[in-house]
Amino acid sequence: MSLFTMKNVQKTFAHEEVEEQILKGIDITLPEGKITALTGASGSGKSILLTIAAGLQTASGGQISFEQQELTSMRNEELRQIRAKQFGFIFQFAHLVPFLTVQEQLDLMLETAESPLSKQAQKKEIKQVLELIDMWKRKDAYPASLSGGEKQRVAVARAIIHSPKVLFADEPTASLDSKRSEEVMQLIQKLSKERNITVLMVTHDTDMLQFADHVVEMRDGKIVQDKIT
Ligand SMILES: Nc1ncnc2c1ncn2[C@@H]1O[C@H](COP(=O)(O)OP(=O)(O)O)[C@@H](O)[C@H]1O
Ligand SMILES: [Mg+2]
């Protein structure tokens, strides 16, 4: 049994009288501890699939299972707990809280995820992760004083500080130049390896596919290619 699988996932939106099928039966198995890249043209359904996989919106049909639990038939509160504790999220923009320092962003995340660690262990973990992303020296800085690349590194740290099992990333490098994009991807790759985090990443940037272990290409709501690299 695999950690995370999607089976025949469908999504339909009602447009006036007409039903439009956006996801037409998607099957994907995420290899555990590896990076799966979801690629394809704009409008092919990548972001919708990612948000459905992450339990942020509901599917119209199909099954999504995480650790042998069926996300699609779960009650909201159960799903919320899984999202907060077992999943991590990164988006195109860092979305840091403007009035919190770098360190406080991570503190807040541990609180939200109801971290089982003691306060002291949390402090240690935050220091370790900030050193890893080379931001310990900027721990007291506010987002406004950080560069785009630094903000996104903090967003990556915040997404994994609570030791999630699955990391969902939607175009995590789309707001960065190619050098910063590679840095962020190297960081995601390193964290995924060291902490055995399973990653589902949406990207339309083919340069980022070199960091993936598994590439799934979508077109018009269907999978047209699925390969382990
Ligand atoms: N709430 C919605 N209602 C109707 N159509 C939607 C909605 N959200 C997204 N879509 C449509 O679903 C398609 C796939 O969108 P999306 O997953 O964002 O594509 P991608 O991330 O691959 O660029 C697009 O054609 C978009 O217009
Ligand atoms: Mg998208």
Side-chain angles (χ1 to χ4, degrees):
M1 190 70 189
S2 179
L3 177 83
F4 198 104
T5 59
M6 295 172 246
K7 261 206 160 22
N8 195 25
V9 171
Q10 300 175 36
K11 183 69 179 178
T12 310
F13 289 111
H15 263 302
E16 287 154 21
E17 300 289 280
V18 196
E19 293 237 309
E20 195 185 352
Q21 196 174 21
I22 302 291
L23 297 180
K24 301 167 180 164
I26 303 286
D27 298 298
I28 302 179
T29 295
L30 303 185
E32 188 168 352
K34 306 274 187 209
I35 300 180
T36 295
L38 199 53
T39 183
S42 174
S44 54
K46 307 181 297 293
S47 292
I48 297 216
L49 182 62
L50 181 113
T51 52
I52 289 175
L56 295 167
Q57 66 174 318
T58 56
S60 311
Q63 287 91 41
I64 297 165
S65 81
F66 166 65
E67 288 191 320
Q68 318 195 19
Q69 306 167 84
E70 192 44 57
L71 296 190
T72 31
S73 57
M74 212 168 252
R75 285 180 299 117
N76 280 344
E77 176 53 24
E78 267 179 297
L79 189 58
R80 193 195 65 76
Q81 292 269 342
I82 288 184
R83 264 199 325 254
K85 297 177 184 177
Q86 319 268 24
F87 294 172
F89 297 92
I90 310 171
F91 300 99
Q92 179 175 350
F93 298 99
H95 300 297
L96 301 179
V97 184
F99 51 84
L100 296 180
T101 65
V102 165
Q103 187 167 224
E104 287 165 350
Q105 312 275 341
L106 303 189
D107 256 333
L108 175 66
M109 187 65 209
L110 286 171
E111 196 181 310
T112 310
E114 297 167 25
S115 170
L117 301 178
S118 68
K119 271 286 160 205
Q120 203 177 358
Q122 291 188 16
K123 278 215 171 80
K124 213 171 133 190
E125 177 70 1
I126 288 175
K127 180 162 192 262
Q128 208 168 48
V129 170
L130 285 179
E131 279 171 350
L132 195 79
I133 65 164
D134 197 23
M135 287 294 284
W136 177 243
K137 56 187 183 301
R138 312 253 17 224
K139 66 181 190 306
D140 297 318
Y142 288 92
S145 69
L146 304 179
S147 71
E150 285 175 330
K151 278 185 205 155
Q152 201 61 334
R153 292 207 318 267
V154 174
V156 173
R158 183 185 54 186
I160 57 90
I161 190 73
H162 57 305
S163 303
K165 298 226 170 81
V166 187
L167 174 62
F168 296 97
D170 193 351
E171 306 276 8
T173 62
S175 65
L176 304 174
D177 63 33
S178 59
K179 182 160 179 287
R180 307 291 165 246
S181 294
E182 293 213 351
E183 282 171 12
V184 163
M185 280 316 303
Q186 278 161 359
L187 185 61
I188 292 175
Q189 196 173 42
K190 181 172 163 172
L191 288 164
S192 162
K193 275 213 180 83
E194 279 179 9
R195 299 175 166 230
N196 194 37
I197 301 172
T198 302
V199 180
L200 178 62
M201 170 184 76
V202 164
T203 184
H204 69 266
D205 182 351
T206 48
D207 285 346
M208 298 304 124
L209 299 182
Q210 59 176 304
F211 298 97
D213 307 289
H214 178 207
V215 177
V216 178
E217 187 184 344
M218 287 181 68
R219 192 178 303 151
D220 298 329
K222 282 189 292 225
I223 292 176
V224 290
Q225 195 172 171
D226 184 320
K227 62 171 194 278
I228 305 281
T229 58

